[in-house]
Amino acid sequence: MRKIIFILLFCISLPSFATTQRIEVLGMVCAYCAQGIEKSLKSLGEVNDVYVNLENFFVLVESKNDLGIDETALQDIIVDAGYSVQKIEYINETIQSVRKQYEK
């Protein structure tokens, strides 16, 4: 019985959330730009969701696991699309919550 309780507590304590990375993108100015970046990022198998905010020049990428996406891969996709990456950072918010903040 103790083993079962221990296993249940261990499983509950494991992180079961996706990791969100925020990428500041320079040169992204139109909906066509946003659409191209979104499509390219979604082509990565480990990407769960992508949100592009043109007004504030950032892209959010949510991974399917808690490890995040390789920053070099993210940067390569954006640079190959013709844009510059200012900064990549992990944030403690889901894409859903950020969408709600900006799409009011």
Side-chain angles (χ1 to χ4, degrees):
M1 183 67 171
R2 286 184 183 177
K3 288 182 182 180
I4 293 173
I5 292 172
F6 177 74
I7 291 170
L8 287 173
L9 288 175
F10 179 74
C11 290
I12 290 171
S13 67
L14 288 175
S16 59
F17 55 87
T19 299
T20 304
Q21 291 164 278
R22 184 179 190 275
I23 309 162
E24 292 181 17
V25 180
L26 300 175
M28 183 177 64
V29 295
C30 67
Y32 182 73
C33 302
Q35 183 181 21
I37 289 173
E38 182 176 359
K39 184 177 178 180
S40 295
L41 290 170
K42 283 186 175 180
S43 71
L44 292 173
E46 60 267 29
V47 170
N48 184 47
D49 197 8
V50 176
Y51 171 68
V52 180
N53 186 298
L54 282 172
E55 292 176 11
N56 296 293
F57 311 107
F58 71 84
V59 176
L60 298 180
V61 179
E62 190 174 271
S63 66
K64 292 180 180 177
N65 56 45
D66 63 339
L67 302 175
I69 311 294
D70 178 60
E71 289 185 13
T72 304
L74 294 174
Q75 187 163 355
D76 287 347
I77 285 175
I78 292 171
V79 170
D80 287 347
Y83 310 101
S84 299
V85 174
Q86 178 92 19
K87 179 168 79 171
I88 299 176
E89 63 185 346
Y90 288 90
I91 62 170
N92 293 324
E93 295 181 79
T94 64
I95 285 182
Q96 259 186 343
S97 67
V98 174
R99 268 192 186 114
K100 288 179 184 177
Q101 291 173 16
Y102 287 97
E103 295 180 357
K104 291 181 179 181

